[in-house]
Each structure stands twice: as structure tokens, then as C-alpha cells.
């Protein structure tokens, strides 16, 4: 949560924009090649330079609250396991047994002190250290220490967990710009509760999922019945923080701030605040709860993706009434995104293969899209090995 001074200054900027019928602009239109959504070679480059060269967001701390809690994550193509250790930290490793390669953990759950392979019973501790070969006498000459699980770098900060999917790579700190980090810290996400996660397999390129959230100019056309009544369309405030970015879409209720004393201005209640955590994660602050989107390409084709959305709340939903409230939120979210946005996304991907055009055109009114694609182009081609 940003501090109040920042909330007031941003609210003022957004109110000015809204009252003038204006928005954040980029300095020029931007052409994005259609091939970046369809070319298998481009996908390979993305997989290497984006999905194997960066720490990837895995989830929120509340999903692993107590010692022994674990979660697994396969969306990046690397089987990742993360465990809360007895000391309270996190250890992350590749979810593969060092004996003959069996998968160790499934889904989410809680371990009681050790982790035992389901195939032949090799036993590891919560740090991934091998404690027991099985049968012990059959591995003479082998020390347990030679077969510890393959560790991955993990960072937990402000309630967000990031893992580097490649062994031996470290996560450069800070993994986000300091200003953005401080701002995200203030939301106190470590105290949030996980409500629900949905995994969607879709027939379009992963970048189109991210694009869906990076402008609100389509609200009056595509979301007339769903979210248009809530938001001021065609008005947003955009700011970059290195490769990451923040896009604020004001709710109509923001306009009521003008009549209130400044000390009471609460930008967070009156806007959708979208953080792009480059390359593939979106945090959506939805007024009173958090929605997290993580998007991944599938390995074989640029025409498909995996999109995961998780809903987190400030307090755990305990009553039927609270659950009904969050279920309604989830339903509106899926109605808007899955039914309305993703229907268009599927058509877009088909259209890419039609030969209609070589480029997409992003207007000056779509600065977040330009930024996203510029950052991708930079990561893919501007590191001296072009
Ligand atoms: S593969 Fe894990 S104990 Fe054999
Ligand atoms: Fe949309």
C-alpha cells in the first residue's frame, strides 16, 4: 500500500486526468510484430531469456504459513517445490528425487519434519538434505551429502515469493526497484489469506493475457455489462519502475474524493491498481483484495498458454456470507476476463495466422503495452548476443 502522501498526489493527478478526459500517454505509437506471437523460434528465445533468466513469482507467503507447509509449481516447465522450514525460512528445490528421479511432492500440503520419496523411500529433511538412503547398505561408498536435492534460489519479501527456476542461479537483489518494493511492502501481503486459485489453459499466446490488463480503452465496448459501470473508461495513470510498472485505473467512485478532506483520500479503495512484475506476473489491487495473475507459455507452441489467477483477502473468509461475497467476486472476474476478454484473445490468435498484417499497432493511449513489449524486446535482443 503506498503511503498517504503518494496516494494523495496520485489521486490528484488522476482526478485531473479524469476531469479533463485525459490519460497517461506514451510519446509515440508502437508497432509490435505479429511474429512475436506466432513464431516458434521467438517462443524459444522467450523461454530462455524471460522464463529461465529471471526469478519468477510463485505465490504469497500465506500459502506456506507454518513449518512443514509446502507447495509445488510446474507452470514454468520446471517442477518446483517450496517448503517452509522449521526455522521459518523457505527452501526451494527441483521436485525430483536424487535416486532415480521420481517426483517427490504433489500439490500443496504439510510435511511432518521430513520428506520421503514415494518410490523407494529415500528421506530428505525440509532443507532438501538427504538423510537416509534406502536400503542403506546397497549404496556403500555414497555419502548422503552427495545426493541432496537440487536447490533453487528463493526470495520472500513483503509476502511475495519468487524462485529462480534454474539451479545455480541467484536472484539479484533487489529483484524489484526500491520504490516499487517499498510500495508493495506497505500492502502487508504477508498477513493476507488465500481464497481460491484457478488455472486456465487457453489457445492464445501468453502475452495476450498480460495485454488484456494493460489498458481500459476496451471497457465501453467489451465490458459494457460487467465492469464498465464500475470504472472510468479511457483514463489511467501509468508509471514505470525499471522493467516493472504500475497502472492505475480509477473507479467512478474516485470522483467523490474532491468533496472530501484530503486526509481521508483513499486511492486504494477507489481504484484498480495493476502492478506488472516483469515478465509474467500481474498483481491487481482490487480496492479491498488482491488478485494475482501468473502467465506462462506452453513448451511446444506459441499458440497456447497457462494462466493462473489467485484471489487473496485481507482476512480469512470464515462465514458463509463472506464466502458468498468472494465467490461473487471470483464469478465477476471470470465473467469479465474468461468470457469477455479471452473470447477476443482466441480470435486474435487465429487472426495472427491469417496474413492480415505484419504488425499490431499500439496507440499513444496504450503506454503500458508499449512498455511491456519494449522490455521484452530488450530482454530478448539487447544483451550483446543478438
Ligand atoms: S526415486 Fe526416490 S527413492 Fe527411488
Ligand atoms: Fe478486459
Amino acid at each position: 500500500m503506498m503511503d498517504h502522501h503518494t496516494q494523495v498526489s496520485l489521486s490528484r493527478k488522476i482526478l485531473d486526468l479524469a476531469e479533463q478526459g485525459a490519460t497517461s500517454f506514451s510519446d509515440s505509437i508502437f508497432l509490435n510484430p505479429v511474429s512475436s506471437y506466432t513464431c516458434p523460434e521467438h517462443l524459444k528465445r522467450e523461454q530462455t531469456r524471460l522464463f529461465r533468466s529471471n526469478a519468477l513469482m510463485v505465490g504469497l507467503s500465506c500459502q506456506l504459513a507454518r513449518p512443514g507447509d509446502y507447495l509445488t509449481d510446474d507452470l514454468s516447465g520446471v517442477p518446483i517445490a517450496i517448503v517452509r522450514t522449521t526455522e521459518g525460512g523457505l527452501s526451494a528445490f527441483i521436485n525430483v528425487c536424487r535416486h532415480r528421479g521420481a517426483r517427490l511432492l504433489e500439490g500443496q500440503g504439510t510435511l511432518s519434519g521430513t520428506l520421503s520419496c514415494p518410490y523407494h523411500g529415500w528421506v530428505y529433511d525440509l532443507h532438501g538434505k538427504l538423510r537416509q538412503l534406502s536400503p542403506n547398505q546397497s549404496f556403500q561408498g555414497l555419502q548422503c551429502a552427495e545426493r541432496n536435492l537440487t536447490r533453487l534460489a528463493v526470495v520472500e519479501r513483503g509476502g511475495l515469493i519468487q524462485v529462480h527456476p534454474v539451479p545455480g542461479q541467484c536472484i539479484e537483489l533487489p529483484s524489484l526497484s526500491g520504490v516499487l518494493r517499498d510500495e508493495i511492502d506497505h500492502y502487508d501481503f504477508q498477513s493476507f489469506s488465500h481464497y481460491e486459485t484457478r488455472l486456465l489453459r487457453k489457445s492464445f499466446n501468453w502475452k495476450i493475457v498480460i495485454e488484456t490488463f494493460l489498458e481500459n480503452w476496451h471497457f465501453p465496448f467489451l465490458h459494457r455489462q460487467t465492469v464498465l459501470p464500475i470504472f472510468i473508461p479511457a483514463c489511467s495513470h501509468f508509471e514505470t519502475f525499471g522493467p516493472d510498472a504500475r497502472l492505475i485505473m480509477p473507479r467512478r467512485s474516485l470522483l467523490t474524493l474532491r468533496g472530501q478532506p484530503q486526509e481521508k483520500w483513499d486511492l486504494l479503495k477507489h481504484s484498480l491498481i495493476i502492478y506488472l512484475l516483469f515478465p509474467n506476473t500481474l498483481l491487481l489491487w482490487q480496492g479491498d483484495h488482491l488478485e494475482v495473475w501468473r502467465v506462462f507459455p506452453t513448451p511446444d507452441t506459441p499458440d497456447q498458454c497457462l494462466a493462473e489467477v489467485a484471489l487473496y483477502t485481507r482476512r480469512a473468509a470464515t462465514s458463509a456470507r463472506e464466502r458468498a461475497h468472494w465467490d461473487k467476486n471470483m464469478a465477476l472476474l471470470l465473467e469479465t476476463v474468461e468470457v469477455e476478454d479471452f473470447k477476443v484473445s482466441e480470435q486474435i490468435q487465429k487472426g495472427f495466422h491469417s496474413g492480415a498484417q505484419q504488425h499490431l499497432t499500439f496507440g499513444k493511449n496504450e503506454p503500458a503495452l508499449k512498455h511491456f513489449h519494449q522490455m521484452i524486446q530488450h530482454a530478448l535482443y539487447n544483451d550483446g548476443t543478438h
Side-chain angles (χ1 to χ4, degrees):
M1 196 167 307
M2 55 192 76
D3 59 59
H4 193 249
H5 175 77
T6 312
Q7 286 198 49
V8 169
S9 97
L10 281 169
S11 298
R12 193 177 302 287
K13 284 182 192 160
I14 297 165
L15 284 166
D16 287 348
L17 289 173
E19 285 160 3
Q20 293 159 15
T23 188
S24 289
F25 283 111
S26 60
D27 52 5
S28 62
I29 64 168
F30 183 76
L31 302 184
N32 197 42
V34 166
S35 61
S36 69
Y37 304 87
T38 57
C39 169
E41 289 307 314
H42 188 88
L43 172 65
K44 272 190 199 140
R45 197 176 265 263
E46 286 180 344
Q47 281 167 328
T48 312
R49 305 273 172 96
L50 299 178
F51 292 91
R52 295 290 182 270
S53 304
N54 289 299
L56 301 172
M57 164 100 170
V58 178
L60 256 63
S61 302
C62 57
Q63 292 169 286
L64 299 148
R66 290 150 312 175
D69 284 356
Y70 70 85
L71 70 80
T72 62
D73 188 285
D74 297 277
L75 297 186
S76 69
V78 176
I80 295 170
I82 309 173
V83 180
R84 176 78 60 195
T85 65
T86 321
E87 296 78 19
L90 290 177
S91 57
F93 35 80
I94 299 190
N95 192 10
V96 167
C97 181
R98 295 297 312 281
H99 174 216
R100 279 170 50 206
R103 184 180 173 89
L104 292 163
L105 294 168
E106 281 300 337
Q108 265 184 273
T110 305
L111 298 163
S112 52
T114 55
L115 190 177
S116 174
C117 178
Y119 202 5
H120 313 92
W122 281 26
V123 177
Y124 302 87
D125 68 16
L126 300 185
H127 294 273
K129 291 210 163 90
L130 182 61
R131 291 299 175 204
Q132 197 184 315
L133 295 150
S134 160
N136 205 7
Q137 64 279 15
S138 301
F139 293 93
Q140 273 169 5
L142 183 69
Q143 302 302 315
C144 280
E146 295 171 63
R147 294 292 185 273
N148 291 332
L149 295 179
T150 302
R151 292 182 69 87
L152 299 172
V154 55
V155 167
E156 181 177 35
R157 178 161 166 192
L160 306 183
I161 302 169
Q162 292 175 298
V163 172
H164 201 302
V166 179
Q169 298 297 309
C170 48
I171 299 175
E172 284 170 37
L173 287 173
S175 57
L176 295 177
S177 99
V179 176
L180 191 58
R181 239 330 159 187
D182 290 346
E183 185 171 315
I184 289 174
D185 279 353
H186 276 92
Y187 284 89
D188 198 23
F189 289 141
Q190 58 268 43
S191 69
F192 276 45
S193 278
H194 174 254
Y195 187 70
E196 190 182 356
T197 296
R198 297 279 184 106
L199 180 62
L200 312 171
R201 287 167 196 277
K202 292 289 152 189
S203 296
F204 42 85
N205 188 266
W206 70 275
K207 297 186 289 299
I208 303 180
V209 179
I210 305 283
E211 291 174 7
T212 297
F213 296 96
L214 295 188
E215 50 85 15
N216 55 4
W217 289 77
H218 66 284
F219 283 21
F221 304 97
L222 198 56
H223 303 314
R224 192 169 288 281
Q225 311 293 339
T226 47
V227 293
L228 179 63
I230 303 170
F231 291 98
I232 303 173
C235 173
S236 60
H237 181 273
F238 180 65
E239 201 169 327
T240 62
F241 302 87
D244 306 310
R246 181 206 321 110
L247 182 68
I248 304 177
M249 298 182 185
R251 289 169 171 255
R252 291 179 192 271
S253 61
L254 187 86
L255 298 172
T256 62
L257 292 189
R258 282 282 197 222
Q260 294 173 25
Q262 238 178 58
E263 316 81 77
K264 294 202 171 149
W265 283 18
D266 183 354
L267 177 67
L268 274 66
K269 196 169 146 193
H270 298 292
S271 49
L272 164 57
I273 305 180
I274 300 174
Y275 297 98
L276 166 66
L277 305 186
F278 190 78
N280 72 328
T281 301
L282 295 166
L283 308 182
L284 275 67
W285 176 253
Q286 292 275 18
D288 62 350
H289 66 280
L290 174 72
E291 200 180 295
V292 179
W293 284 87
R294 299 190 304 135
V295 195
F296 294 85
T298 55
D300 307 320
T301 167
D303 294 324
Q304 288 174 6
C305 68
L306 294 166
E308 185 203 76
V309 56
L311 196 148
Y312 299 90
T313 59
R314 277 183 171 138
R315 287 183 302 111
T318 47
S319 66
R321 199 166 142 262
E322 283 172 326
R323 278 193 293 276
H325 173 76
W326 297 120
D327 286 346
K328 210 173 123 198
N329 265 277
M330 197 69 173
L332 175 64
L333 152 73
L334 292 173
E335 172 71 16
T336 308
V337 176
E338 203 182 6
V339 178
E340 295 178 341
D341 288 308
F342 287 175
K343 186 173 166 224
V344 173
S345 307
E346 272 165 25
Q347 294 162 344
I348 289 174
Q349 189 73 26
K350 286 200 183 106
F352 284 154
H353 294 280
S354 69
Q357 55 189 347
Q358 300 300 312
H359 295 90
L360 302 187
T361 306
F362 299 136
K364 289 168 69 172
N365 58 337
E366 300 171 310
L369 290 167
K370 177 176 177 179
H371 170 77
F372 175 54
H373 288 287
Q374 277 186 322
M375 290 301 107
I376 291 178
Q377 287 185 1
H378 181 79
L380 298 193
Y381 298 107
N382 287 11
D383 66 352
T385 59
H386 185 155

PDB file of all heavy atoms in Angstrom, residues 245-263:
ATOM      1  N   ALA A 245       6.098  -2.105 -13.711  1.00  0.00           N
ATOM      2  CA  ALA A 245       5.279  -0.917 -13.940  1.00  0.00           C
ATOM      3  C   ALA A 245       4.037  -0.938 -13.066  1.00  0.00           C
ATOM      4  O   ALA A 245       3.658  -1.979 -12.533  1.00  0.00           O
ATOM      5  CB  ALA A 245       4.870  -0.850 -15.407  1.00  0.00           C
ATOM      6  N   ARG A 246       3.447   0.259 -12.925  1.00  0.00           N
ATOM      7  CA  ARG A 246       2.180   0.380 -12.213  1.00  0.00           C
ATOM      8  C   ARG A 246       1.186   1.129 -13.077  1.00  0.00           C
ATOM      9  O   ARG A 246       1.506   2.166 -13.648  1.00  0.00           O
ATOM     10  CB  ARG A 246       2.383   1.136 -10.898  1.00  0.00           C
ATOM     11  CG  ARG A 246       1.093   1.249 -10.152  1.00  0.00           C
ATOM     12  CD  ARG A 246       0.892   2.404  -9.186  1.00  0.00           C
ATOM     13  NE  ARG A 246       1.925   2.876  -8.347  1.00  0.00           N
ATOM     14  CZ  ARG A 246       2.521   4.055  -8.520  1.00  0.00           C
ATOM     15  NH1 ARG A 246       2.236   4.819  -9.553  1.00  0.00           N
ATOM     16  NH2 ARG A 246       3.421   4.480  -7.663  1.00  0.00           N
ATOM     17  N   LEU A 247      -0.010   0.551 -13.200  1.00  0.00           N
ATOM     18  CA  LEU A 247      -1.081   1.179 -13.976  1.00  0.00           C
ATOM     19  C   LEU A 247      -2.292   1.320 -13.060  1.00  0.00           C
ATOM     20  O   LEU A 247      -2.750   0.327 -12.496  1.00  0.00           O
ATOM     21  CB  LEU A 247      -1.432   0.289 -15.177  1.00  0.00           C
ATOM     22  CG  LEU A 247      -2.496   0.797 -16.141  1.00  0.00           C
ATOM     23  CD1 LEU A 247      -2.008   2.020 -16.902  1.00  0.00           C
ATOM     24  CD2 LEU A 247      -2.891  -0.298 -17.136  1.00  0.00           C
ATOM     25  N   ILE A 248      -2.779   2.544 -12.915  1.00  0.00           N
ATOM     26  CA  ILE A 248      -3.936   2.759 -12.039  1.00  0.00           C
ATOM     27  C   ILE A 248      -5.160   3.080 -12.887  1.00  0.00           C
ATOM     28  O   ILE A 248      -5.135   3.992 -13.704  1.00  0.00           O
ATOM     29  CB  ILE A 248      -3.677   3.913 -11.051  1.00  0.00           C
ATOM     30  CG1 ILE A 248      -2.397   3.643 -10.251  1.00  0.00           C
ATOM     31  CG2 ILE A 248      -4.870   4.094 -10.104  1.00  0.00           C
ATOM     32  CD1 ILE A 248      -2.015   4.766  -9.308  1.00  0.00           C
ATOM     33  N   MET A 249      -6.213   2.302 -12.688  1.00  0.00           N
ATOM     34  CA  MET A 249      -7.479   2.555 -13.377  1.00  0.00           C
ATOM     35  C   MET A 249      -8.498   3.027 -12.336  1.00  0.00           C
ATOM     36  O   MET A 249      -8.858   2.259 -11.436  1.00  0.00           O
ATOM     37  CB  MET A 249      -7.992   1.284 -14.044  1.00  0.00           C
ATOM     38  CG  MET A 249      -7.053   0.745 -15.108  1.00  0.00           C
ATOM     39  SD  MET A 249      -7.760  -0.724 -15.884  1.00  0.00           S
ATOM     40  CE  MET A 249      -6.402  -1.204 -16.962  1.00  0.00           C
ATOM     41  N   PRO A 250      -8.936   4.281 -12.425  1.00  0.00           N
ATOM     42  CA  PRO A 250      -9.823   4.812 -11.383  1.00  0.00           C
ATOM     43  C   PRO A 250     -11.238   4.240 -11.461  1.00  0.00           C
ATOM     44  O   PRO A 250     -11.797   4.072 -12.549  1.00  0.00           O
ATOM     45  CB  PRO A 250      -9.830   6.315 -11.667  1.00  0.00           C
ATOM     46  CG  PRO A 250      -9.492   6.439 -13.117  1.00  0.00           C
ATOM     47  CD  PRO A 250      -8.607   5.275 -13.458  1.00  0.00           C
ATOM     48  N   ARG A 251     -11.784   3.955 -10.291  1.00  0.00           N
ATOM     49  CA  ARG A 251     -13.209   3.634 -10.229  1.00  0.00           C
ATOM     50  C   ARG A 251     -13.990   4.950 -10.318  1.00  0.00           C
ATOM     51  O   ARG A 251     -13.463   6.012  -9.974  1.00  0.00           O
ATOM     52  CB  ARG A 251     -13.536   2.971  -8.882  1.00  0.00           C
ATOM     53  CG  ARG A 251     -12.990   1.564  -8.776  1.00  0.00           C
ATOM     54  CD  ARG A 251     -13.108   1.046  -7.351  1.00  0.00           C
ATOM     55  NE  ARG A 251     -12.776  -0.369  -7.313  1.00  0.00           N
ATOM     56  CZ  ARG A 251     -13.688  -1.344  -7.186  1.00  0.00           C
ATOM     57  NH1 ARG A 251     -14.963  -1.058  -7.015  1.00  0.00           N
ATOM     58  NH2 ARG A 251     -13.316  -2.600  -7.193  1.00  0.00           N
ATOM     59  N   ARG A 252     -15.240   4.838 -10.699  1.00  0.00           N
ATOM     60  CA  ARG A 252     -16.061   6.054 -10.789  1.00  0.00           C
ATOM     61  C   ARG A 252     -16.161   6.741  -9.428  1.00  0.00           C
ATOM     62  O   ARG A 252     -16.267   7.958  -9.329  1.00  0.00           O
ATOM     63  CB  ARG A 252     -17.459   5.705 -11.315  1.00  0.00           C
ATOM     64  CG  ARG A 252     -17.424   5.272 -12.769  1.00  0.00           C
ATOM     65  CD  ARG A 252     -18.798   4.907 -13.308  1.00  0.00           C
ATOM     66  NE  ARG A 252     -18.675   4.238 -14.608  1.00  0.00           N
ATOM     67  CZ  ARG A 252     -18.657   4.875 -15.773  1.00  0.00           C
ATOM     68  NH1 ARG A 252     -18.761   6.188 -15.819  1.00  0.00           N
ATOM     69  NH2 ARG A 252     -18.540   4.207 -16.900  1.00  0.00           N
ATOM     70  N   SER A 253     -16.094   5.928  -8.367  1.00  0.00           N
ATOM     71  CA  SER A 253     -16.227   6.487  -7.017  1.00  0.00           C
ATOM     72  C   SER A 253     -15.064   7.405  -6.645  1.00  0.00           C
ATOM     73  O   SER A 253     -15.157   8.176  -5.699  1.00  0.00           O
ATOM     74  CB  SER A 253     -16.332   5.345  -5.997  1.00  0.00           C
ATOM     75  OG  SER A 253     -15.156   4.558  -6.033  1.00  0.00           O
ATOM     76  N   LEU A 254     -13.962   7.360  -7.414  1.00  0.00           N
ATOM     77  CA  LEU A 254     -12.832   8.251  -7.118  1.00  0.00           C
ATOM     78  C   LEU A 254     -13.257   9.710  -7.204  1.00  0.00           C
ATOM     79  O   LEU A 254     -12.735  10.577  -6.492  1.00  0.00           O
ATOM     80  CB  LEU A 254     -11.669   7.994  -8.087  1.00  0.00           C
ATOM     81  CG  LEU A 254     -10.388   8.759  -7.758  1.00  0.00           C
ATOM     82  CD1 LEU A 254      -9.554   7.979  -6.739  1.00  0.00           C
ATOM     83  CD2 LEU A 254      -9.536   9.039  -8.992  1.00  0.00           C
ATOM     84  N   LEU A 255     -14.215   9.985  -8.066  1.00  0.00           N
ATOM     85  CA  LEU A 255     -14.652  11.372  -8.272  1.00  0.00           C
ATOM     86  C   LEU A 255     -15.246  11.979  -7.005  1.00  0.00           C
ATOM     87  O   LEU A 255     -15.311  13.193  -6.870  1.00  0.00           O
ATOM     88  CB  LEU A 255     -15.658  11.438  -9.434  1.00  0.00           C
ATOM     89  CG  LEU A 255     -15.088  10.994 -10.795  1.00  0.00           C
ATOM     90  CD1 LEU A 255     -16.190  10.911 -11.847  1.00  0.00           C
ATOM     91  CD2 LEU A 255     -13.979  11.943 -11.268  1.00  0.00           C
ATOM     92  N   THR A 256     -15.679  11.140  -6.058  1.00  0.00           N
ATOM     93  CA  THR A 256     -16.254  11.672  -4.814  1.00  0.00           C
ATOM     94  C   THR A 256     -15.174  12.259  -3.899  1.00  0.00           C
ATOM     95  O   THR A 256     -15.485  12.977  -2.957  1.00  0.00           O
ATOM     96  CB  THR A 256     -16.978  10.563  -4.015  1.00  0.00           C
ATOM     97  OG1 THR A 256     -16.007   9.566  -3.646  1.00  0.00           O
ATOM     98  CG2 THR A 256     -18.082   9.902  -4.828  1.00  0.00           C
ATOM     99  N   LEU A 257     -13.890  11.981  -4.195  1.00  0.00           N
ATOM    100  CA  LEU A 257     -12.822  12.470  -3.311  1.00  0.00           C
ATOM    101  C   LEU A 257     -12.766  13.997  -3.279  1.00  0.00           C
ATOM    102  O   LEU A 257     -12.431  14.587  -2.250  1.00  0.00           O
ATOM    103  CB  LEU A 257     -11.454  11.930  -3.750  1.00  0.00           C
ATOM    104  CG  LEU A 257     -11.204  10.437  -3.594  1.00  0.00           C
ATOM    105  CD1 LEU A 257      -9.749  10.108  -3.856  1.00  0.00           C
ATOM    106  CD2 LEU A 257     -11.603   9.949  -2.211  1.00  0.00           C
ATOM    107  N   ARG A 258     -13.061  14.636  -4.392  1.00  0.00           N
ATOM    108  CA  ARG A 258     -12.994  16.102  -4.464  1.00  0.00           C
ATOM    109  C   ARG A 258     -13.787  16.764  -3.334  1.00  0.00           C
ATOM    110  O   ARG A 258     -13.391  17.801  -2.832  1.00  0.00           O
ATOM    111  CB  ARG A 258     -13.538  16.601  -5.808  1.00  0.00           C
ATOM    112  CG  ARG A 258     -12.581  16.439  -6.948  1.00  0.00           C
ATOM    113  CD  ARG A 258     -11.493  17.497  -6.949  1.00  0.00           C
ATOM    114  NE  ARG A 258     -10.838  17.545  -8.257  1.00  0.00           N
ATOM    115  CZ  ARG A 258      -9.523  17.662  -8.427  1.00  0.00           C
ATOM    116  NH1 ARG A 258      -8.723  17.732  -7.385  1.00  0.00           N
ATOM    117  NH2 ARG A 258      -9.017  17.705  -9.638  1.00  0.00           N
ATOM    118  N   GLY A 259     -14.890  16.148  -2.952  1.00  0.00           N
ATOM    119  CA  GLY A 259     -15.725  16.738  -1.910  1.00  0.00           C
ATOM    120  C   GLY A 259     -15.303  16.366  -0.493  1.00  0.00           C
ATOM    121  O   GLY A 259     -15.965  16.751   0.467  1.00  0.00           O
ATOM    122  N   GLN A 260     -14.221  15.616  -0.388  1.00  0.00           N
ATOM    123  CA  GLN A 260     -13.816  15.154   0.948  1.00  0.00           C
ATOM    124  C   GLN A 260     -12.491  15.777   1.362  1.00  0.00           C
ATOM    125  O   GLN A 260     -11.680  16.122   0.514  1.00  0.00           O
ATOM    126  CB  GLN A 260     -13.632  13.627   0.930  1.00  0.00           C
ATOM    127  CG  GLN A 260     -14.916  12.861   0.684  1.00  0.00           C
ATOM    128  CD  GLN A 260     -14.642  11.371   0.502  1.00  0.00           C
ATOM    129  OE1 GLN A 260     -13.638  10.855   0.982  1.00  0.00           O
ATOM    130  NE2 GLN A 260     -15.522  10.701  -0.207  1.00  0.00           N
ATOM    131  N   PRO A 261     -12.267  15.897   2.692  1.00  0.00           N
ATOM    132  CA  PRO A 261     -10.973  16.422   3.135  1.00  0.00           C
ATOM    133  C   PRO A 261      -9.842  15.477   2.722  1.00  0.00           C
ATOM    134  O   PRO A 261     -10.015  14.256   2.747  1.00  0.00           O
ATOM    135  CB  PRO A 261     -11.102  16.471   4.667  1.00  0.00           C
ATOM    136  CG  PRO A 261     -12.315  15.696   5.017  1.00  0.00           C
ATOM    137  CD  PRO A 261     -13.175  15.582   3.807  1.00  0.00           C
ATOM    138  N   GLN A 262      -8.709  16.089   2.349  1.00  0.00           N
ATOM    139  CA  GLN A 262      -7.598  15.311   1.782  1.00  0.00           C
ATOM    140  C   GLN A 262      -7.099  14.189   2.693  1.00  0.00           C
ATOM    141  O   GLN A 262      -6.660  13.142   2.212  1.00  0.00           O
ATOM    142  CB  GLN A 262      -6.443  16.254   1.517  1.00  0.00           C
ATOM    143  CG  GLN A 262      -6.010  16.258   0.092  1.00  0.00           C
ATOM    144  CD  GLN A 262      -4.881  17.244  -0.125  1.00  0.00           C
ATOM    145  OE1 GLN A 262      -3.834  17.144   0.508  1.00  0.00           O
ATOM    146  NE2 GLN A 262      -5.119  18.220  -0.972  1.00  0.00           N
ATOM    147  N   GLU A 263      -7.172  14.425   4.019  1.00  0.00           N
ATOM    148  CA  GLU A 263      -6.671  13.395   4.954  1.00  0.00           C
ATOM    149  C   GLU A 263      -7.430  12.087   4.755  1.00  0.00           C
ATOM    150  O   GLU A 263      -6.945  11.017   5.111  1.00  0.00           O
ATOM    151  CB  GLU A 263      -6.830  13.798   6.427  1.00  0.00           C
ATOM    152  CG  GLU A 263      -6.452  15.207   6.810  1.00  0.00           C
ATOM    153  CD  GLU A 263      -7.553  16.203   6.492  1.00  0.00           C
ATOM    154  OE1 GLU A 263      -8.553  16.285   7.224  1.00  0.00           O
ATOM    155  OE2 GLU A 263      -7.388  16.914   5.471  1.00  0.00           O
TER     156      GLU A 263
END
